[in-house]
C-alpha cells in the first residue's frame, strides 16, 4: 500500500472503499468525539446543552437534516423546532457574497484578499459580508475556503480560496472568519479536505462529461503532507473559533470526505479540538449510519440526490437511534454542536427570518419551490449593501500587483490619446449577471463561476473608469472590445500615446462547462485570443500596459519582456468596483502594494504534476496520488531550482524600500508537553423514547418531497427507505463506534487547533524597513524559515504584515515565531516535534528577495 495506512472497508454501507492492496487507505477512528465547551465555547456550549436537553429525538434530527433541495428559501435549510418557535437554520453561498440574492454586494475573491497580504482588510471584508448575510436573514455563510489550497495552479476553484501557501491562507482565513462571526453569522471552513480539482470530484458529474466511473476520485495524501500543508489553515480556522466545517465531495485515501472517520473524528474533532458542526457539501453525503458515526453532524441539503424525496437521515436517522444502531448521544452531540455555533456568534440576538428566495426574483412565489406549494410573498428586496463599496474598492486596489513598470505608471492624466483594447475592458453584453452563476467569460472578468460566485449590484468596468479619468482632462480615448477585431485594434494602438490592453483567464466549479473548461482550466494560456491581442497592440504601440484579470498564473513568457510593454498589472478578480480600483492604482491615487499570491512560472511543467483528467483505475474511483508532498508553488520552484518570471510574494511599488537591522531574540517559553489524559464520558441529554412517539403529527400538511424526521409506521423496517435496513448492526458498525465512555486524548490535541504548546511564542524577530523613495507607500515584509531537514522545503513562509511608511521614514517590524512555525510532523509519534536540524530565518519583500538572514537559536 502506498502510504501504509489501514482502512476498514465497511466504514459505511453506501461508500464503496477499494480493498485493492495497491491503493491508499484511510484508517478508522472511533467513536466520534463529543463537544465539551472548551475555552471560548463554554457559554455557548452550556446554552446549547440546555436547549437540546428540552428537545425530542425528532426535533434533534430535524436540526441535523436539510429539508431538501429548493424546499425552503435558502440553498440549504434544516427543519424547525416549531414547538419552541425555532425556524430552520438557513445556509447560503458564497465565500464572496450572497449567491442568488439581490441588493447585495459582489466582493473581491479570496485570491485578491491574499494579494493584499493584509489581515485587517481580510477582517473588514469578512465583517462586511457577515453584515449582508445577517441582514438577509442567513444564519450560515458557506465560506471562507482553504480547500482547494492550490495543489494544481489550473484547478478550477483556487480563486475561491486564498493562496497555495498554508500560512498566508491560514492567517487570512482566520481574519475572514472573525469578521463574519463578529457580524453575527456562522462562518464555514471548506472544503475539508483534498478537493484540489474539479475533474472527477463527483462521479455523477463526471458521467455527464462522458467519464464512466462508479465512484468519485480519491485524493491520496500522506500523513506528513496532510499536517504540514493541507490541514494547517484548517487548524487556524479552528483557532479562530469557526462555527462550521464543510466536508468535501472527493474521497481521501479511498474514503469519502463526509464519511471519513480519520478526517472528521481524529484530525478535526480530536486533534484540532473542533467544537462546532460538520456539514456535508451538497450531494457529498453518501451514507446514513456510517456518516453519522464517522463524525458528520448536518446533512445538506438533506436529500440523497439533490431534488429527490429520499434521505440518508431524517426519518432514517430517527429509526437508527430507535433501533440502537446510532447511540442517542451521537445525535445529541450533533444538535449541541449546531446550537453551540448558533449561540457563539449571537444568532439569537440578531436573527430575522430569510427575506429573500434563492429560486425566484419575483416578489411573490412558492415558499416550497420544489413542491410548488405555499404561494406567498418571498422577496422583500432588502438592500443590505451599506457602505461596503468602500472596502470593496480598497481591497481591489490593495490587491493590484504591479509586475513590471518602466516608469510609465502612474499615469498623469495628461495623456492625449488613450487606447483601451481587449474584451476584458468592457461590459458583458448580456449584463453583469447575464450568465447563470457567472458561467461565461463575456466582458471584463471580476468574478469567476460556480457556487462560489454572487450577484453583482453593478459592475464598474475598466473601460468606464479609465474613460472617466481621461475625460477629466483634454485627452481622447477609444476602446475596441472585440478580441478578434485585430485590425481595428492595430489602428487605435498606432495612434495612441499609451495603449491599455486587457486580457483574462477564467475558471470555476465543475457543474458548468465554459468553452470546454470543465471547471478546471484546460490550458494555461489567456482566453479569447488574448495573446494575439497583446501581439497586435505591441506591434503598433511602443507604450503598452497589459492588465490581466485571471484566476491564477498564466503563461507570459513569450511577451512579458517585450520592450514595447512598459508595464504589467495583475488585478485578479476584484468584484463590483473593478474599474475604480484599477484606476486608483493606474492614476496614482493608490500606490500599488499588492504582492503576488502565487508564482509566475515559465512553463506549466514547472509547477509539477498536472491535473488528473483521465480515468486511471478502470471504472472505479480515479486515483490522484499527491506525490508532490508539501512541494507546491514556490516550494517546488525552490526545490528544483526553477527560476520563475515573478516569484511568490513579488510586487512593485511607486516607491522603494530598504531592509536592515535584523534582530533575533529567544523568548522564555515552557517546554512542549504532549497532551495526556481522558475525556469525560459522552453526556446523555435524554431518552430516545419509542416508535409510537415519532409518528407523523396528525393534521400536518405534508409538503411533497419535503424531508421530515417522523415515521409512517411503528414498524421500523417498513418505515425506512433504506434497502439495507435489515442488515445486522454487527455487520457494518465499526468497532468502538458506539462507545460513549471516556476516551484517550491525543498527544497533539488538547486545545483549539491542537496542543496549546504549539502556539507558544518561542522567538521574537524584528527588522527595520525604510521608505527610500519620494512617495508614501505600503510594504509587505515577509518572514521565511528554513527548517533545515533534508526533506524540508528550502524556505517556508511563517509571518508577514502590511506597513504604511511615509517617504523617507522607517518602521520597525516585530513579529514572533511559534513552536508550530519551527516544528515538523512526526508520523511515528503522531505529534509535532522541533528537529535538531539547524534553522534560519529570512526577511524581505518576496520569496526570492530576502536580504536579511540569521541563524535561529536552538529551541524545544
Amino acid at each position: 500500500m502506498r502510504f501504509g495506512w489501514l482502512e476498514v472497508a465497511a466504514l459505511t454501507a453506501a461508500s464503496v472503499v477499494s480493498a485493492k492492496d495497491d491503493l491508499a487507505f484511510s484508517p478508522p477512528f472511533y467513536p466520534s468525539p463529543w463537544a465539551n465547551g472548551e475555552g471560548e465555547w463554554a457559554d455557548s456550549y452550556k446554552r446549547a446543552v440546555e436547549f437540546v436537553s428540552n428537545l425530542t429525538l425528532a426535533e434533534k434530527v430535524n436540526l441535523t437534516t436539510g429539508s431538501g433541495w429548493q424546499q425552503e428559501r435558502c440553498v440549504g435549510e434544516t427543519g424547525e423546532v416549531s414547538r419552541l418557535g425555532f425556524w430552520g437554520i438557513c445556509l447560503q453561498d458564497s465565500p464572496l457574497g450572497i449567491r442568488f440574492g439581490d441588493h447585495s454586494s459582489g466582493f473581491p475573491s479570496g485570491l485578491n484578499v491574499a494579494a493584499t497580504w493584509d489581515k485587517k482588510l481580510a477582517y473588514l471584508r469578512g465583517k462586511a459580508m457577515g453584515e449582508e448575510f445577517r441582514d438577509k436573514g442567513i444564519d450560515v455563510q458557506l465560506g471562507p475556503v482553504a480547500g482547494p489550497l492550490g495543489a494544481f495552479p489550473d484547478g478550477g476553484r483556487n480563486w475561491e480560496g486564498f493562496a497555495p501557501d498554508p500560512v498566508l491562507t491560514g492567517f487570512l482565513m482566520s481574519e475572514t472568519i472573525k469578521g463574519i462571526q463578529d457580524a453575527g453569522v456562522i462562518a464555514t471552513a471548506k472544503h475539508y479536505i483534498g478537493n484540489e480539482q474539479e475533474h472527477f470530484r463527483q462521479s455523477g458529474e463526471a458521467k455527464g462529461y462522458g467519464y464512466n466511473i462508479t465512484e468519485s476520485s480519491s485524493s491520496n495524501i500522506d500523513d506528513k503532507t496532510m499536517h504540514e500543508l493541507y490541514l494547517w489553515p484548517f487548524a487556524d480556522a479552528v483557532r479562530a473559533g469557526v462555527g462550521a466545517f464543510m466536508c468535501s465531495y472527493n474521497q481521501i485515501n479511498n474514503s469519502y470526505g463526509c464519511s471519513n472517520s480519520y478526517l472528521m473524528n481524529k484530525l478535526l474533532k480530536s486533534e484540532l479540538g473542533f467544537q462546532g458542526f460538520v456539514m456535508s457539501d451538497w450531494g457529498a453525503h453518501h451514507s446514513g449510519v456510517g456518516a453519522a458515526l464517522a463524525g458528520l453532524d448536518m446533512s445538506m441539503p438533506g436529500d440523497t440526490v439533490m431534488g429527490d424525496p429520499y434521505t440518508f437521515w431524517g426519518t432514517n436517522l430517527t429509526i437508527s437511534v430507535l433501533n440502537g444502531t446510532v447511540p442517542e448521544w451521537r445525535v445529541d452531540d450533533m444538535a449541541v454542536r449546531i446550537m453551540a455555533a448558533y449561540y457563539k456568534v449571537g444568532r439569537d440576538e440578531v436573527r430575522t427570518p430569510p427575506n429573500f428566495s434563492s429560486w425566484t426574483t419575483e416578489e411573490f412565489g412558492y415558499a416550497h419551490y420544489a413542491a410548488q406549494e405555499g404561494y406567498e410573498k418571498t422577496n422583500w428586496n432588502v438592500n443590505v449593501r451599506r457602505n461596503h463599496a468602500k472596502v470593496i474598492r480598497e481591497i481591489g486596489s490593495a490587491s493590484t500587483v504591479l509586475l513590471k513598470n518602466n516608469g510609465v505608471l502612474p499615469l498623469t492624466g495628461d495623456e492625449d490619446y488613450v487606447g483601451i483594447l481587449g474584451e476584458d475592458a468592457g461590459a458583458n453584453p448580456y449584463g453583469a449577471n447575464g450568465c447563470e452563476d457567472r458561467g461565461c467569460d463575456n466582458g471584463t472578468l471580476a468574478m469567476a463561476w460556480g457556487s462560489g460566485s454572487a450577484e453583482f449590484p453593478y459592475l464598474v468596468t475598466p473601460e468606464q473608469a479609465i474613460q472617466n479619468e481621461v475625460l477629466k482632462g483634454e485627452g481622447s480615448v477609444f476602446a475596441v472590445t472585440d478580441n478578434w477585431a485585430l485590425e481595428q485594434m492595430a489602428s487605435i494602438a498606432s495612434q495612441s500615446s499609451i495603449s491599455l490592453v486587457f486580457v483574462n483567464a477564467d475558471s470555476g466549479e465543475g457543474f458548468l462547462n465554459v468553452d470546454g473548461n470543465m471547471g478546471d482550466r484546460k490550458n494555461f494560456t489567456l482566453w479569447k485570443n488574448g495573446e494575439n491581442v497583446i501581439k497586435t497592440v505591441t506591434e503598433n504601440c511602443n507604450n503598452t500596459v497589459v492588465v490581466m484579470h485571471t484566476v491564477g498564473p498564466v503563461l507570459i513568457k513569450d511577451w512579458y519582456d517585450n520592450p514595447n510593454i512598459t508595464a504589467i498589472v495583475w488585478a485578479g478578480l476584484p468584484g463590483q468596483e473593478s474599474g475604480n480600483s484599477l484606476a486608483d492604482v493606474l492614476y496614482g491615487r493608490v500606490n500599488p502594494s499588492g504582492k503576488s499570491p502565487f508564482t509566475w512560472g515559465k512553463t506549466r511543467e514547472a509547477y509539477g504534476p498536472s491535473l488528473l483528467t483521465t480515468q486511471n483505475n478502470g471504472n472505479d474511483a480515479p486515483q490522484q496520488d499527491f506525490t508532490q508532498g508539501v512541494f507546491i508553488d514556490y516550494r517546488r520552484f525552490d526545490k528544483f531550482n526553477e527560476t520563475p518570471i515573478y516569484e511568490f510574494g513579488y510586487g512593485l511599488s511607486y516607491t522603494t524600500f530598504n531592509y536592515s537591522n535584523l534582530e533575533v531574540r529567544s523568548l522564555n517559553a515552557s517546554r512542549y508537553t504532549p497532551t495526556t489524559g481522558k475525556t469525560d464520558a459522552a453526556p446523555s441529554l435524554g431518552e430516545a423514547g419509542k416508535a409510537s412517539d415519532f409518528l407523523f403529527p396528525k393534521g400536518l400538511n405534508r409538503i411533497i418531497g419535503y424531508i421530515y424526521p417522523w415515521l409512517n409506521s411503528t414498524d421500523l423496517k417498513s418505515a425506512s427507505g433504506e434497502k439495507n435496513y435489515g442488515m445486522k448492526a454487527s455487520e457494518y458498525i465499526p468497532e468502538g463506534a458506539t462507545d460513549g465512555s471516556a476516551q484517550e486524548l491525543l498527544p497533539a490535541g488538547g486545545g483549539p487547533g491542537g496542543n496549546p504548546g504549539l502556539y507558544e511564542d518561542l522567538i521574537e524577530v524584528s527588522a527595520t524597513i525604510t521608505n527610500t523613495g519620494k512617495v508614501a507607500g505600503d510594504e509587505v515584509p515577509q518572514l521565511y524559515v528554513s527548517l533545515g531537514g533534508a526533506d524540508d522545503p528550502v524556505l517556508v513562509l511563517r509571518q508577514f504584515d502590511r506597513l504604511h511608511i511615509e517617504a523617507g521614514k522607517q518602521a520597525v517590524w516585530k513579529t514572533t515565531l511559534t513552536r508550530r512555525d519551527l516544528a515538523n510532523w512526526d508520523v511515528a509519534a503522531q505529534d509535532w516535534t522541533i528537529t535538531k536540524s539547524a534553522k534560519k530565518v529570512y526577511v524581505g519583500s518576496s520569496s526570492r528577495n530576502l536580504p536579511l538572514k540569521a541563524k535561529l537559536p536552538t529551541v524545544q
Side-chain angles (χ1 to χ4, degrees):
M1 57 189 115
R2 286 193 181 93
F3 304 121
W5 287 17
L6 302 174
E7 173 67 307
V8 174
L11 279 176
T12 71
S15 175
V16 177
V17 179
S18 174
K20 295 179 181 178
D21 290 339
D22 61 341
L23 298 183
F25 290 85
S26 182
F29 188 91
Y30 295 96
S32 184
W34 38 93
N36 60 17
E38 186 174 44
E40 64 179 19
W41 287 82
D43 181 65
S44 58
Y45 171 77
K46 180 180 177 181
R47 296 182 66 190
V49 168
E50 291 173 354
F51 182 85
V52 174
S53 295
N54 290 316
L55 301 183
T56 67
L57 173 61
E59 289 169 339
K60 297 170 191 175
V61 169
N62 232 17
L63 285 178
T64 70
T65 307
S67 56
W69 179 243
Q70 295 187 330
Q71 287 288 6
E72 293 287 0
R73 293 177 182 171
C74 307
V75 295
E77 199 160 333
T78 69
E80 62 186 10
V81 182
S82 55
R83 180 173 59 86
L84 300 179
F86 186 94
W87 63 84
I89 293 173
C90 166
L91 306 93
Q92 194 75 12
D93 295 313
S94 78
L96 57 66
I98 299 172
R99 182 188 184 204
F100 300 148
D102 61 5
H103 296 82
S104 54
S105 302
F107 288 86
S109 68
L111 185 66
N112 280 68
V113 176
T116 72
W117 295 63
D118 192 322
K119 299 165 190 174
K120 179 182 176 182
L121 284 178
Y123 175 86
L124 291 175
R125 172 177 171 268
K127 182 76 175 297
M129 289 193 299
E131 289 172 348
E132 296 198 6
F133 278 74
R134 178 195 69 205
D135 293 348
K136 283 290 187 182
I138 299 164
D139 299 299
V140 183
Q141 178 176 351
L142 301 177
V145 170
L149 182 66
F152 308 101
D154 33 9
R157 300 180 76 176
N158 292 352
W159 57 273
E160 291 186 33
F162 297 96
D165 179 85
V167 170
L168 181 55
T169 292
F171 274 117
L172 300 178
M173 181 102 164
S174 296
E175 293 304 314
T176 303
I177 288 164
K178 292 173 186 176
I180 292 169
Q181 298 196 160
D182 282 353
V185 171
I186 299 168
T188 306
K190 67 177 195 178
H191 307 83
Y192 182 73
I193 198 168
N195 192 172
E196 294 292 322
Q197 67 168 59
E198 294 303 281
H199 280 77
F200 309 126
R201 65 176 187 151
Q202 295 187 86
S203 58
E205 182 178 274
K207 288 178 180 178
Y209 288 124
Y211 299 104
N212 184 23
I213 58 174
T214 58
E215 299 295 330
S216 303
S217 62
S218 177
S219 297
N220 301 326
I221 306 172
D222 67 272
D223 194 27
K224 182 178 174 68
T225 298
M226 179 66 76
H227 280 83
E228 294 186 5
L229 191 65
Y230 297 104
L231 191 64
W232 185 292
F234 286 111
D236 288 334
V238 175
R239 290 269 297 170
V242 71
F245 264 63
M246 180 190 290
C247 48
S248 57
Y249 284 122
N250 54 294
Q251 299 187 68
I252 302 89
N253 299 317
N254 289 291
S255 177
Y256 276 106
C258 296
S259 298
N260 192 311
S261 65
Y262 187 89
L263 293 176
M264 292 189 287
N265 288 346
K266 183 179 183 183
L267 295 187
L268 182 57
K269 293 183 176 180
S270 292
E271 186 178 312
L272 300 186
F274 177 54
Q275 298 289 305
F277 65 96
V278 182
M279 74 182 79
S280 65
D281 202 342
W282 276 231
H285 190 175
H286 290 273
S287 69
V289 171
L293 298 176
L296 187 67
D297 301 304
M298 181 184 285
S299 175
M300 276 291 131
D303 28 27
T304 55
V305 177
M306 288 163 61
D308 76 13
Y310 304 104
T311 179
F312 289 117
W313 283 6
T315 296
N316 287 319
L317 185 54
T318 302
I319 292 171
S320 296
V321 175
L322 292 174
N323 71 11
T325 308
V326 173
E328 185 160 14
W329 62 256
R330 173 77 270 264
V331 178
D332 288 344
D333 184 60
M334 296 175 189
V336 166
R337 287 174 174 275
I338 292 166
M339 293 308 300
Y342 174 92
Y343 288 122
K344 185 176 187 293
V345 304
R347 286 303 299 155
D348 56 314
E349 299 173 3
V350 299
R351 198 178 196 214
T352 58
N355 52 42
F356 71 103
S357 171
S358 297
W359 321 119
T360 177
T361 57
E362 299 296 324
E363 182 180 2
F364 287 85
Y366 290 105
H368 309 291
Y369 185 82
Q372 297 286 284
E373 294 188 33
Y375 192 79
E376 62 184 28
K377 185 170 182 176
T378 54
N379 283 313
W380 279 258
N381 304 121
V382 178
N383 191 329
V384 298
R385 286 158 45 200
R386 302 179 179 229
N387 63 344
H388 296 154
K390 181 178 179 182
V391 72
I392 292 170
R393 183 168 179 168
E394 184 177 358
I395 293 171
S397 58
S399 62
T400 300
V401 182
L402 183 60
L403 295 171
K404 177 180 179 180
N405 187 20
N406 292 349
V408 66
L409 298 179
L411 302 177
T412 64
D414 296 328
E415 293 77 18
D416 62 352
Y417 197 111
V418 178
I420 303 173
L421 305 167
E423 180 179 329
D424 184 65
N428 180 350
Y430 301 163
N433 297 322
C435 301
E436 183 178 359
D437 283 320
R438 315 295 74 77
C440 64
D441 188 44
N442 299 344
T444 194
L445 183 63
M447 189 185 294
W449 79 73
S451 66
S453 66
E455 320 308 308
F456 288 111
Y458 60 82
L459 176 55
V460 179
T461 69
E463 180 186 2
Q464 290 172 305
I466 293 167
Q467 179 171 285
N468 289 341
E469 296 290 340
V470 175
L471 295 182
K472 291 177 183 177
E474 297 181 356
S476 300
V477 56
F478 297 92
V480 179
T481 57
D482 180 341
N483 275 10
W484 281 265
L486 300 180
E487 183 178 341
Q488 290 84 349
M489 285 188 185
S491 175
I492 296 295
S494 66
Q495 302 173 66
S496 298
S497 55
I498 184 168
S499 293
L500 303 173
V501 177
F502 289 83
V503 290
N504 69 35
D506 204 353
S507 72
E509 190 170 3
F511 73 87
L512 290 172
N513 183 333
V514 179
D515 193 25
N517 296 268
M518 295 176 285
D520 303 316
R521 285 189 279 166
K522 64 182 179 181
N523 54 45
F524 227 46
T525 59
L526 294 167
W527 284 35
K528 290 194 169 183
N529 207 33
E531 281 82 9
N532 282 329
V533 169
I534 293 172
K535 182 175 184 291
T536 297
V537 176
T538 54
E539 287 176 347
N540 290 278
C541 180
N542 64 2
N543 187 16
T544 298
V545 175
V546 177
V547 179
M548 295 182 285
H549 289 107
T550 74
V551 293
V554 293
L555 296 179
I556 62 175
K557 182 177 180 292
D558 290 343
W559 53 264
Y560 82 98
D561 56 353
N562 185 320
N564 287 348
I565 296 177
T566 51
I568 302 173
V569 174
W570 179 82
L573 305 168
Q576 68 190 42
E577 288 284 323
S578 176
N580 287 337
S581 296
L582 180 64
D584 286 341
V585 171
L586 295 181
Y587 286 88
R589 290 187 292 273
V590 173
N591 189 344
S593 54
K595 302 285 187 174
S596 183
F598 49 78
T599 300
W600 297 79
K602 295 178 181 178
T603 65
R604 169 59 183 88
E605 291 71 28
Y607 293 87
S610 61
L611 295 160
L612 181 63
T613 58
T614 58
Q615 294 174 233
N616 63 358
N617 190 31
N619 293 336
D620 293 331
Q623 300 292 306
Q624 186 175 54
D625 296 334
F626 283 55
T627 55
Q628 65 269 48
V630 299
F631 297 98
I632 66 173
D633 200 77
Y634 72 91
R635 298 171 177 215
R636 180 180 177 86
F637 278 75
D638 291 346
K639 178 180 175 68
F640 293 99
N641 200 27
E642 288 272 1
T643 301
I645 295 175
Y646 302 116
E647 68 269 21
F648 175 79
Y650 173 87
L652 301 174
S653 170
Y654 295 153
T655 189
T656 54
F657 297 96
N658 179 66
Y659 285 72
S660 62
N661 301 332
L662 178 66
E663 295 184 5
V664 176
R665 182 172 69 91
S666 290
L667 301 175
N668 187 25
S670 59
R671 292 180 65 88
Y672 180 74
T673 304
T675 298
T676 58
K678 288 189 173 185
T679 69
D680 292 331
S684 177
L685 304 182
E687 297 296 328
K690 54 187 182 297
S692 59
D693 297 330
F694 303 108
L695 294 174
F696 271 90
K698 293 181 179 180
L700 177 70
N701 177 28
R702 296 172 66 170
I703 307 301
I704 297 172
Y706 203 91
I707 295 171
Y708 296 102
W710 296 293
L711 315 179
N712 287 314
S713 168
T714 56
D715 179 70
L716 299 183
K717 184 174 182 178
S718 64
S720 173
E722 289 195 75
K723 64 180 180 180
N724 291 325
Y725 174 82
M727 187 183 296
K728 294 179 181 179
S730 61
E731 295 180 28
Y732 66 101
I733 301 300
E735 183 179 355
T738 61
D739 182 4
S741 64
Q743 302 293 315
E744 294 286 343
L745 298 172
L746 299 180
N755 190 308
L758 294 173
Y759 299 95
E760 287 188 78
D761 291 329
L762 301 188
I763 295 173
E764 181 183 84
V765 180
S766 65
T768 300
I769 299 98
T770 304
N771 183 339
T772 55
K774 297 180 180 180
V775 295
D778 287 3
E779 174 63 332
V780 177
Q782 302 164 38
L783 183 155
Y784 295 79
V785 167
S786 169
L787 295 173
D791 297 326
D792 289 320
V794 174
L795 299 168
V796 287
L797 179 71
R798 283 298 184 252
Q799 278 289 352
F800 62 91
D801 213 336
R802 187 182 177 108
L803 307 175
H804 182 77
I805 308 175
E806 296 293 328
K809 302 295 184 180
Q810 63 183 27
V812 176
W813 179 50
K814 287 187 178 182
T815 189
T816 57
L817 291 169
T818 67
R819 183 171 279 108
R820 183 175 69 149
D821 290 330
L822 301 175
N824 290 96
W825 180 252
D826 186 327
V827 175
Q830 285 295 286
D831 202 356
W832 294 91
T833 184
I834 297 178
T835 68
K836 294 181 180 180
S837 302
K839 294 169 176 41
K840 296 180 181 178
V841 63
Y842 301 81
V843 175
S845 61
S846 76
S847 63
R848 291 280 177 109
N849 184 16
L850 299 164
L852 307 182
K853 62 181 179 179
K855 293 182 179 180
L856 288 175
T858 301
V859 290
Q860 296 182 348

